[in-house]
């Protein structure tokens, strides 16, 4: 154990950012002021895309904006108080994707990122640079520096076709039946520098209640990440994104169905698996609504912890993260 616990969070966008805010809050409540020194967030980059010549990293941006307190909490994505003048102009040109809105402030982020990438910075270096603008209280790492955008294969009108995750998710609202999710090139990708080291050096690793298939799934598919989670001496604690058999928001149920996992807190725990049994988890937080599933989780070799899982505000997220931090030692 370090003097202040080293914490690593694996996270996607919206669920991931609420939970990361909670983790930062829980560490502050323990008297740790310099949380950036102890809190590392490994962020999904499977959602990333090129659009109108700029590189978007939706999950990285969601977490950055949320930690900086400049996110649009009403809409659930992008910057608070953003406008869409450039987006309107792109539409007039017939450029980009008409169903994918880019805010003006958000475009500033994408331009800055793309410029730095073009100058030769790695994605990890760009994220580090972007983390200097606001006191985020966490070190953010993309899961990898490789471009491994998620491609979804769907059934469409009797045929099968593949499309970028963002087109499937945003344009089609996940209504085309998915049969497969892939991250082309991921088998030869490497974890971002520092990610495996952070997991090895952690006192606790937390898997945020993010989409298990398209947010946590890609992170776990980066070669080396799964082994790092299996071999760290830190306990690995996950939080269920499923409450009472339902996804809280979003369309994670469609993704789970596609990979043959039931939309239940116990089934997602089984999908991650018990560390004792070749999987990843030591403990799994489930909602009070799902307390009857605790025995199932326990039987699969994972310690069930029943807690309120609704991240309705910062205090609730902080209480949830605190419970996750204490799930094994507490
Ligand atoms: P995305 O990248 O923006 O889709 O966000 P994430 O993958 O990080 O998180 C999406 C998941 O968060 C959804 O599948 C929800 O099930 C889960 N989620 C959202 N809000 C809550 C909450 O308040 N509590 C819990 N336990 N899960 C939540
Ligand atoms: Ca995402």
């Amino acid at each position: 154990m370090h003097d202040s616990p080293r914490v690593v969070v694996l996270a996607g966008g919206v669920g991931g950012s609420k939970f990361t805010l909670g983790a930062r809050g829980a560490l502050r409540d323990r008297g740790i002021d310099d949380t950036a020194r102890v809190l590392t967030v490994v962020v999904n980059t499977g959602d990333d895309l090129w659009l109108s010549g700029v590189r978007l990293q939706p999950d990285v941006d969601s977490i950055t904006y949320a930690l900086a307190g400049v996110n649009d909490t009403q809409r659930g994505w992008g910057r608070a108080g953003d406008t869409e003048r450039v987006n309107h102009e792109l539409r007039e040109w017939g450029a980009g994707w008409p169903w994918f809105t880019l805010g003006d402030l958000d475009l500033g982020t994408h331009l800055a990122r793309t410029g730095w990438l073009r100058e030769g910075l790695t994605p990890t270096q760009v994220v580090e640079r972007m983390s200097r603008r606001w006191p985020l209280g966490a070190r953010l790492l993309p899961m990898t520096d490789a471009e491994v955008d998620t491609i979804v294969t769907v059934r469409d009108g009797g045929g099968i076709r593949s499309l970028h995750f963002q087109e499937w998710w945003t344009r089609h609202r996940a209504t085309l039946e998915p049969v497969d999710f892939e991250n082309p090139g991921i088998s030869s990708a490497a974890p971002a520098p520092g990610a495996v080291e952070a997991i090895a050096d952690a006192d606790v690793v937390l898997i945020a209640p993010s989409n298990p298939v398209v947010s946590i799934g890609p992170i776990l598919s980066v070669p080396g990440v799964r082994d790092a989670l299996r071999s760290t001496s830190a306990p690995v604690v996950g939080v269920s994104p499923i409450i009472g058999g339902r996804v809280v928001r979003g369309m994670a149920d469609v993704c789970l169905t596609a990979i043959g996992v039931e939309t239940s807190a116990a089934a997602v725990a089984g999908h991650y698996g018990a560390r004792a049994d070749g999987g990843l988890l030591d403990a799994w937080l489930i909602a009070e609504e799902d307390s009857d599933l605790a025995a199932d989780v326990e039987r699969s070799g994972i310690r069930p912890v029943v807690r309120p899982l609704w991240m309705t505000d910062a205090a609730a997220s902080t209480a949830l993260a605190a419970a996750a931090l204490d799930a094994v030692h507490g």
Side-chain angles (χ1 to χ4, degrees):
M1 246 323 193
H2 300 90
D3 292 347
S4 312
R6 300 282 193 276
V7 180
V8 173
V9 178
L10 308 189
V14 174
S17 56
K18 284 187 192 169
F19 186 73
T20 301
L21 272 178
R24 185 181 68 180
L27 290 168
R28 283 184 182 158
D29 285 352
R30 283 162 207 215
I32 302 166
D33 296 323
D34 186 9
T35 52
R37 206 170 48 78
V38 297
L39 176 60
T40 299
V41 190
V42 179
V43 187
N44 173 43
T45 59
D47 292 17
D48 295 9
L49 67 157
W50 285 100
L51 192 63
S52 291
V54 292
R55 186 70 173 154
L56 276 59
Q57 293 203 293
D59 289 0
V60 170
D61 290 347
S62 290
I63 295 189
T64 304
Y65 296 160
L67 289 173
V70 300
N71 57 316
D72 187 327
T73 50
Q74 296 291 312
R75 223 172 21 168
W77 54 272
R79 292 279 297 272
D82 212 345
T83 47
E84 295 173 10
R85 293 191 69 197
V86 178
N87 195 65
H88 177 77
E89 215 33 34
L90 286 169
R91 273 179 204 175
E92 293 295 315
W93 285 115
W97 283 339
W99 36 265
F100 200 90
T101 307
L102 295 167
D104 294 329
L105 297 175
D106 215 12
L107 266 162
T109 305
H110 309 326
L111 284 170
R113 169 166 39 237
T114 307
W116 288 327
L117 289 172
R118 289 262 188 264
E119 285 165 22
L121 265 63
T122 64
T124 301
Q125 290 167 335
V126 172
V127 169
E128 199 268 325
R129 191 148 171 181
M130 294 202 136
S131 299
R132 289 184 212 153
R133 177 169 174 191
W134 295 290
L136 301 183
R139 174 171 68 132
L140 305 192
L141 292 175
M143 65 187 196
T144 178
D145 282 339
E147 281 184 18
V148 293
D149 304 9
T150 304
I151 301 297
V152 190
T153 302
V154 297
R155 253 189 264 283
D156 188 13
I160 290 258
R161 68 183 176 101
S162 296
L163 65 172
H164 192 285
F165 168 76
Q166 292 295 352
E167 182 174 4
W168 176 69
W169 190 257
T170 308
R171 180 183 193 179
H172 297 287
R173 302 267 153 218
T175 51
L176 299 173
E177 186 194 341
V179 290
D180 194 27
F181 298 92
E182 271 182 298
N183 295 91
I186 204 162
S187 60
S188 53
V196 163
E197 294 79 356
I199 293 169
D201 190 44
D203 295 297
V204 55
V205 178
L206 305 176
I207 301 182
S210 289
N211 187 314
V213 184
V214 295
S215 292
I216 303 298
I219 303 176
L220 299 178
S221 299
V222 177
V225 171
R226 196 174 274 276
D227 286 347
L229 292 169
R230 294 215 16 89
S231 60
T232 180
S233 58
V236 178
V237 178
V239 179
S240 175
I242 308 299
I243 300 180
R246 302 169 65 109
V247 289
V248 177
R249 62 186 290 285
M251 301 156 285
D253 46 344
V254 182
C255 306
L256 286 167
T257 304
I259 63 160
V261 176
E262 197 191 322
T263 301
S264 98
V268 174
H271 167 66
Y272 288 140
R275 216 144 63 121
D277 195 24
L280 304 174
L281 293 175
D282 295 300
W284 183 240
L285 271 68
I286 61 174
E288 292 159 311
E289 294 89 321
D290 290 317
S291 57
D292 57 329
L293 298 176
D296 288 354
V297 174
E298 184 122 50
R299 260 195 302 278
S300 60
I302 300 163
R303 178 174 180 178
V305 178
V306 180
R307 285 286 181 286
L309 294 197
W310 294 95
M311 298 185 287
T312 40
D313 55 25
S317 302
T318 297
L320 175 56
L325 288 173
D326 291 338
V328 170
H329 298 302

